[in-house]
Amino acid sequence: TSDTESNAVKELLYRLIPDRAAEFNVTVDYSFDNKDAFMIWTENNKVHIIGNKGYSAAAGLYHYLKVYCGCHISWSGNQLNIPDVLPKLDDSLKITFHDKYRYYQNVCTSSYSFVWWDWKRWEKEIDWMALNGMNLALAFTAQEAIYYQVFKGMNFTDHDIEVFFTGPAFLAWNRMGNMQAWVGPLSENWHKNQISLQHKILKRMRSFGMTPVLPAFSGRVNPAFKRNFPHADTTVLNKTWGHFQPPFGFVTFLEPTDPLFEEIGVDFLNKYIEEFGTNHIYSADLFNEMPPPSNDPSYLQSCAKAMYKMLTAIDPEAIWLTQGWMFYSDPETWQDRQSRAFLRAIPQGKMIILDLQSELYPQYNRLKSYYGQPFIWCMLHNYGGVKGLYGSLQNINELPFEGRTFNGSTMIGTGLTPEGIETNDIVYELMNEMAWRIQPVDLDKWLENYALRRYGVNSSEVVFAMQHLKKSVYNATVPYRNHGKYILIRRPSLKLKPYIWYNPVDVFDAWSLFLNASENHKLKQSKLFQHDLVDLTRQCLQLSMTTMYSKVVASFRERKIVDYLKNARAVLNLFDEMEEILASNEHFLLGRWLESAKKLGITPLEKIQYEYNARNQITLWGPAGELVDYANKQWAGLMSQYYKKRWKLFLETLLNCLINGWPFNQTDFNEQVYRQIEYEFDLGTETYPVQPSGEPVEISKKLFLKYGNILSNL
């Protein structure tokens, strides 16, 4: 009800600014507007906000705090220095969102970022969603608990199910049928925890008026399926995904046209809805990075029809939401005839396509606005939850408007679809504003205001630094995906290439300007300024490694042992200094990731299993390094105990080659580094700090004296 949604926003207010919450009056009125909108005005020394939905009113609250009070709310922290007297508006302000939806999440986010979250962290995230007006979001938690019930009802044993589900850190890819069994099984304690958590997540989302997108069956079944159903029409879609081999690869896919597909799908949704309720939008990806067994348009049409038939058998109001990644990742299969057949198999408007990385690889033009099906313009931005300054500010400032206005557009929303979050707040802040902006912003002015809001201090040095970052790291307008393949954190080799799309001088200039700005005491004390200075310092050390690596390779190839020893020592010292700067901020600590994983375990065995899940995902990503370093993290702890150790072994190996006149053998080294460093790290149980140490500004100043001129010294 509107009262429920009003109360949800009021409770958010008290969580966010408890001492000032009484100065706001928030109302939700469904009849306020037939589109999502909010209005702000001041009267009788109070700020009044009305929205047509809870999330609209929450967005109005953040708009007031941001625009009139100069505040900032982000993953890295909040700046909520509200004036003693709340600023008054000269007149009421009404803002209307352009589109029906503001969507959030990639199917991978649940594994790369959310996997170890408790309710306290989820509560913070849903508040952030509401404050940014989001109203459509995946709610994938606890689906394995329901699948367990479904499979048990089909006479499968616990063992049959245990060798299907992966461990918690890899569930995203189990759900898409990419892999199975790895670092599983899932315990009864896990299922109970996830069911309880999902009830809280859904209740809170719905209290803001949001629409949670629930999971639906997409044909993935356990390895023993043919034993119980020998006549079932099954296949394996992809025998090469991630190079995973049995028993972890080769997931069984039940053809959507088999009657069992509908039977299982209906049973799953019936049980899921009975437990959690429904908002009538369901997500399922039949062929995400899993090529269909046939590209015959009639076959693809039959699959889509079967999927929709299954959904509507249990929910006549069902809408099918699916990621459009397959149209980009497998264009040979998904050509015009195939795409048209698949998309037009569903009644128009009963399917929503996520155009998953519209900022770099939009598919809506190629596919003629998805042949009439509505789509959401999404910014993907991040792969694997990797760290590193990166973004396409110019594209996200301009292209959503083109998506809305091109001839025949069926765009119904904007969305965020990062694989991992809690990085590059600036990019997400701008993208969220595209939901209501009537035209692109003046980026220079926007960046100036962003810096003022984020740090609460007006600094010309910081503003100039933002300009340098805008034209460098945040100018990835030519398609350049952020896989974080920086030399610093790659498995060592003599053939690594720099991962740079900009002039590094700009980043070092920004570093210098930030340090000059830190002479301002208020800036120096800002938690968000400290975070960003650490991040900027990290980026410059990462770039320094690129320079130092080229010297190591050159001195090795030229067989100059004295120079080589000097360059090798410099590289190892850099890892120590990277560890020191990262350890000075809570957001760059390996310990937080590992401890949150262990905290979810109840039994000693669960704690060990979850820690192994957490370690493996960010390092080897599989039993034998199938996707090694895909989800790399530049965190204190990893620098000293993982990345540095790999490079130390590499440098020692090269030195032995120089001394003995041997050629370097990459294959032999890969086996050594896997066995001695990577595999051993994943099995480790040593603990790491969860609290920062050291003073970030002073550490950064010290490092600038050493590395600030490294580019000019080439």
Side-chain angles (χ1 to χ4, degrees), residues 491 620 628 642 646 673-674 676-682:
R491 181 185 272 176
L620 284 170
V628 62
Y642 184 72
R646 292 203 304 192
V673 78
Y674 169 80
Q676 296 180 30
I677 311 296
E678 297 164 344
Y679 181 76
E680 289 298 319
F681 175 84
D682 284 4

Side-chain angles (χ1 to χ4, degrees), residues 430-489:
L430 179 63
M431 183 60 215
N432 284 333
E433 291 188 14
M434 293 301 108
W436 57 266
R437 290 279 185 184
I438 59 174
Q439 62 186 16
V441 302
D442 178 332
L443 272 179
D444 292 340
K445 186 66 177 174
W446 187 89
L447 287 167
E448 182 179 344
N449 289 333
Y450 174 85
L452 177 58
R453 293 195 307 269
R454 187 165 171 87
Y455 310 127
V457 178
N458 199 346
S459 167
S460 59
E461 288 98 341
V462 169
V463 172
F464 283 131
M466 289 290 179
Q467 295 301 320
H468 283 288
L469 296 176
K470 182 194 82 168
K471 65 181 181 180
S472 56
V473 290
Y474 293 122
N475 191 34
T477 50
V478 175
Y480 204 97
R481 291 196 277 172
N482 185 25
H483 280 296
K485 295 179 180 178
Y486 309 111
I487 288 174
L488 183 84
I489 49 75

